């Protein structure tokens, strides 16, 4: 798949966005900040990634997800939990970086802070009905209705 990508921060030219391994689903996003950014416990900050992409095809979207190492070891996750990038978005990709731990974390300029995954999307056509034509086995059951063991 070809996606138009605009580099907005010159520092990315030396390390352009790339999949870390041939099987990587996620493309790491870097913190394009000018100086180290200390995130106190519970603090969050919108961090620029220095790039923009235009997916263009409404059959795709991109998700911004935490990196497992940062999330698990340092509590650095996303203020919006998951970032959703619409296929028509052309602005700079931004990461809401949230320190959910109780220890200050200092983000270094150009550190890889999150990852982006491109996924297929279906835009449905909604058909208004009063009753569903086919009763499912689950019906309205949820919230643990199938048990735990
Ligand atoms: O982590 C994120 C989440 C969103 N975006 C950009 C891309 C996305 O297409 C746009 C809008 O995001 P979203 O639809 O989640 O936000 P909204 O609050 O619904 O804003 P809008 O009314 O602009 O859709 O912001 C980011 O750069 N990073
Ligand atoms: Mg929106």
């Amino acid at each position: 798949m070809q996606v138009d990508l605009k580099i907005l921060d010159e520092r990315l030219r030396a390390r352009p966005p790339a999949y870390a391994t041939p099987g990587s689903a996620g493309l790491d996003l870097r913190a394009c900040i000018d100086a180290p950014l200390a995130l106190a416990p519970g603090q969050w900050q919108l961090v620029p990634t220095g790039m923009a992409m235009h997916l263009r095809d409404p059959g795709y979207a991109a998700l911004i997800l935490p990196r497992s190492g940062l999330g698990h070891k340092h509590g650095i996750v996303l203020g919006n939990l998951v970032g959703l990038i619409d296929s028509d978005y052309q602005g700079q990709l931004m990461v809401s970086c949230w320190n959910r731990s109780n220890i200050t974390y200092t983000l270094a300029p150009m550190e890889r802070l999150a990852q982006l995954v491109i996924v297929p999307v279906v835009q449905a056509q909604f058909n208004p009905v009063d009753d569903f034509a086919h009763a499912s086995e689950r019906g309205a059951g949820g919230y643990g209705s199938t048990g735990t063991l």
Side-chain angles (χ1 to χ4, degrees):
M1 178 192 183
Q2 301 277 318
V3 177
D4 288 346
L5 180 90
K6 217 159 57 170
I7 299 290
L8 305 172
D9 187 308
E10 290 305 313
R11 293 172 294 179
L12 281 180
R13 298 211 187 269
R15 17 187 180 182
Y19 293 100
T21 66
S24 291
L27 183 80
D28 286 339
L29 300 173
R30 294 182 186 274
C32 287
I33 48 181
D34 293 330
L37 174 66
L39 280 176
Q43 199 190 348
W44 64 96
Q45 177 94 32
L46 206 53
V47 176
T49 65
M51 64 188 209
M53 65 173 59
H54 185 203
L55 292 167
R56 214 163 68 181
D57 182 341
Y60 293 95
L63 302 177
I64 298 180
L65 301 172
R67 291 186 72 200
S68 61
L70 277 178
H72 180 68
K73 295 181 194 157
H74 302 288
I76 296 299
V77 293
L78 306 175
N80 46 353
L81 305 186
V82 174
L84 175 61
I85 311 303
D86 297 288
S87 68
D88 54 358
Y89 181 68
Q90 297 182 313
Q92 178 166 205
L93 297 175
M94 304 294 287
V95 175
S96 172
C97 191
W98 172 35
N99 181 0
R100 62 157 179 79
S101 81
N102 51 17
I103 298 168
T104 294
Y105 183 84
T106 301
L107 202 60
M110 306 315 282
E111 177 171 346
R112 289 176 288 147
L113 83 166
Q115 56 187 331
L116 178 129
V117 181
I118 296 175
V119 293
V121 164
V122 174
Q123 274 188 348
Q125 300 211 327
F126 293 99
N127 197 19
V129 294
D130 291 326
D131 288 300
F132 295 120
H134 303 282
S136 71
E137 184 180 327
R138 172 181 291 278
Y143 312 99
S145 68
T146 63
T148 49
L149 291 177

